[in-house]
Amino acid sequence: MFEYAPAPESRDIVDIRPSHGLFINGEWVEPQGEERHKTVNPATEEVLAEVAWAGEADVDRAVQAAAKAFPVWSAMPGAERAKYLFRIARIIQERARELAVLETLDNGKPIRESRDVDLPLVAAHFFYYAGWADKLAYAGFGENPRPLGVAGQVIPWNFPLLMLAWKIAPALACGNTVVLKPAETTPLTALAFADICRQADLPPGVVNIVTGAGETGAALVNHPGVDKVAFTGSTEVGRLIARSLAGTRKKLTLELGGKAANIVFEDAPLDQAVEGIVNGIFFNQGHVCCAGSRLLVQESVAAELLEALKRRLGTLRLGDPLDKNTDIGAINSAEQLAKIRELSEAGEAEGAERWSPACPIPDRGYWFPPTVFTGVAQSHRIAREEIFGPVLSVLTFRTPAEAVEKANNTPYGLSAGVWTEKGSRMLWMASRLRAGVVWSNTFNRFDPTSPFGGYKESGYGREGGRHGLEAYLAV
């Protein structure tokens, strides 16, 4: 196989400010406390910027600004709100290259994914919900749906800008105002979005962004002035939020962890299935809540499929996320890398067989090679716990009923994939799988018009599509 020449994207297109404050009421403000956090490039461990961490008083300022802006924003005709959302979407498209490089630097994901997946979807969500802003009466939630008020939103580090779009776009379209807290390890694109709000002349206080860690998120979630909470993150934190909001008037949606089954039948097109398996678990280094981390393959084709999968993994390129040839980027943080290593070592200790392709690891940064475990039992930790990394557990089945039983044998219920040429089998499986999204002969396929969300410990509520409006309306 020929050698690739390096094809790095230039980082000169991004001008990262060395220090960032909080975005409150349309202005950059300094926090009342002095705590700050350094955000680093996970591929090099280079410090990118210093970011303020908001305390309770700062969160209160942001919520008050959002509450003050709510009467004007909610009373604005939907067609006028739509103009702002359209404007934001167009600015995102204009600045897409800059934002993609910034996302890759701060997150570690390959530039190909930031550029070709994340940024187009970010703009598409704002365009899509701009179209709904003046049509809410026809969304099926009553003739006169009303916004809730101030939405407190907490997003994760795996898709920083995309998760922001999933939450802010429908909230604004419905007439709510927002206080958003990005993840502490990936705040830079959210802060860049604050500049986009100013560039779009969004009225002050409609969007506020407070950076910080778990304490900042807890202050936002529990603030009495917040009317709706939207959280994407771990199941453990989701439980804490649900417990703290129980019995309050606040509306809550949770999009939490997953342990998705990617199910391959013997009649599936195996080459296509291999690509779907790779996309299902190694996309974004496996930092995907709906990742296909459990491969269920029919016993009669298991050996053939695994041989083809290992050949394909041997062609993946791990390295510089800014190189356009890179398939596997850096793990987001040292803490996440430690968790992936712990669970992988547990898989070996419990008797599963571990395999990775020959894969040189850079000297600096946080890296983990694409890894496949075979001989996995349902009782193994790697089959039960969310690893959130590039680690695939392989199990086999003989009958469709056994596949359903194994796929549903998890506390999670976010997504699943089914690979088969038989439409009847696909529908039979989809009706029995306890997953919010079931993909047919594909995986990790997203569209702003399609709802996304889970069952059981994967959370509740839907984001995306017409269904995503309901969480932000009094119905």
Side-chain angles (χ1 to χ4, degrees):
M1 186 171 65
F2 64 86
E3 288 295 320
Y4 285 89
E9 174 63 276
S10 173
R11 62 175 292 171
D12 293 341
I13 193 172
V14 176
D15 183 19
I16 303 176
R17 295 200 303 269
S19 181
H20 294 267
L22 310 173
F23 185 69
I24 297 175
N25 202 34
E27 300 290 339
W28 293 106
V29 301
E30 288 301 309
Q32 295 192 8
E34 296 183 358
E35 188 173 5
R36 305 185 80 85
H37 170 75
K38 291 180 173 62
T39 182
V40 303
N41 180 344
T44 63
E45 301 178 60
E46 163 205 2
V47 174
L48 297 172
E50 195 175 64
V51 179
W53 278 19
E56 286 190 18
D58 302 306
V59 170
D60 183 60
R61 277 195 293 168
V63 173
Q64 288 189 35
K68 183 179 178 181
F70 174 70
V72 175
W73 181 252
S74 60
M76 187 181 294
E80 292 300 310
R81 290 199 303 271
K83 291 178 183 178
Y84 287 101
L85 290 169
F86 275 123
R87 195 177 302 161
I88 289 170
R90 287 195 296 268
I91 295 171
I92 288 168
Q93 287 184 320
E94 292 165 3
R95 297 177 60 176
R97 185 181 174 202
E98 168 200 349
L99 293 168
V101 171
L102 185 60
E103 194 79 299
T104 288
L105 287 171
D106 204 24
N107 174 275
K109 65 175 62 186
I111 187 65
R112 271 193 309 116
E113 295 178 7
S114 300
R115 178 195 65 195
D116 299 342
V117 180
D118 291 29
L119 263 297
L121 279 173
V122 170
H125 273 81
F126 279 97
F127 277 125
Y128 176 73
Y129 281 110
W132 270 115
D134 63 345
K135 305 175 187 68
L136 298 176
Y138 307 100
F141 306 121
E143 294 181 3
N144 186 31
R146 304 179 313 283
L148 297 168
V150 176
Q153 303 176 328
V154 181
I155 59 174
W157 48 259
N158 56 336
F159 292 95
L161 195 57
L162 183 56
M163 293 297 99
L164 176 151
W166 276 29
K167 287 178 168 51
I168 288 183
L172 298 192
C174 292
N176 302 277
T177 53
V178 167
V179 180
L180 179 130
K181 190 203 85 71
E184 60 265 35
T185 61
T186 54
L188 294 186
T189 47
L191 296 170
F193 181 80
D195 271 334
I196 289 173
C197 290
R198 295 180 71 177
Q199 190 178 346
D201 292 324
L202 193 70
V206 173
V207 170
N208 307 271
I209 295 177
V210 292
T211 44
E215 294 80 5
T216 306
L220 176 58
V221 165
N222 295 310
H223 194 287
V226 168
D227 301 287
K228 187 267 184 300
V229 172
F231 172 77
T232 296
S234 71
T235 295
E236 292 73 22
V237 175
R239 286 197 195 100
L240 293 175
I241 293 173
R243 190 175 297 122
S244 68
L245 299 189
T248 70
R249 59 178 176 77
K250 296 179 185 178
K251 201 166 184 178
L252 173 64
T253 51
L254 298 171
E255 197 263 279
L256 309 175
K259 195 68 180 173
N262 209 354
I263 306 163
V264 181
F265 284 93
E266 61 187 358
D267 67 324
L270 293 188
D271 288 341
Q272 181 183 342
V274 165
E275 293 304 311
I277 294 163
V278 170
N279 184 53
I281 182 58
F282 301 116
F283 173 67
N284 198 27
Q285 297 74 254
H287 297 335
V288 185
C289 50
C290 56
S293 54
R294 290 183 298 149
L295 173 61
L296 273 59
V297 55
Q298 200 155 19
E299 199 173 88
S300 56
V301 293
E304 181 184 357
L305 181 72
L306 282 171
E307 183 181 349
L309 178 61
K310 288 179 178 180
R311 280 198 308 270
R312 180 67 179 90
L313 295 187
T315 69
L316 296 181
R317 297 178 62 82
L318 180 148
D320 179 9
L322 280 176
D323 191 330
K324 301 180 187 76
N325 297 316
T326 295
D327 300 297
I328 307 287
I331 302 302
N332 180 255
S333 66
E335 293 76 14
Q336 186 59 31
L337 179 59
K339 178 185 176 184
I340 295 168
R341 285 174 172 166
E342 177 201 344
L343 285 168
S344 296
E345 289 165 6
E348 284 188 288
E350 290 177 324
E353 184 177 344
R354 179 175 178 172
W355 180 89
S356 294
C359 193
I361 303 294
D363 295 330
R364 291 184 61 79
Y366 315 125
W367 305 92
F368 197 86
T371 299
V372 176
F373 278 100
T374 53
V376 178
Q378 291 277 79
S379 59
H380 288 174
R381 288 183 66 191
I382 55 173
R384 294 184 289 108
E385 297 182 29
E386 184 179 41
I387 300 175
F388 222 62
V391 180
L392 178 66
S393 298
V394 183
L395 302 94
T396 60
F397 66 91
R398 292 183 178 179
T399 67
E402 183 185 358
V404 169
E405 184 176 353
K406 286 186 172 181
N408 288 341
N409 185 15
T410 172
Y412 299 107
L414 193 54
S415 65
V418 179
W419 298 82
T420 177
E421 286 193 343
K422 294 183 173 65
S424 58
R425 176 180 288 162
M426 176 64 233
L427 294 172
W428 187 91
M429 292 289 293
S431 66
R432 288 163 175 78
L433 291 170
R434 292 295 293 164
V437 177
V438 180
W439 285 293
S440 174
N441 293 327
T442 188
F443 209 94
N444 278 340
R445 180 79 62 176
F446 299 101
D447 189 280
T449 67
S450 180
F452 181 87
Y455 296 101
K456 299 188 287 187
E457 292 189 12
S458 290
Y460 46 80
R462 294 294 180 264
E463 294 182 298
R466 179 184 64 84
H467 304 71
L469 298 166
E470 184 177 10
Y472 294 96
L473 294 171
V475 295

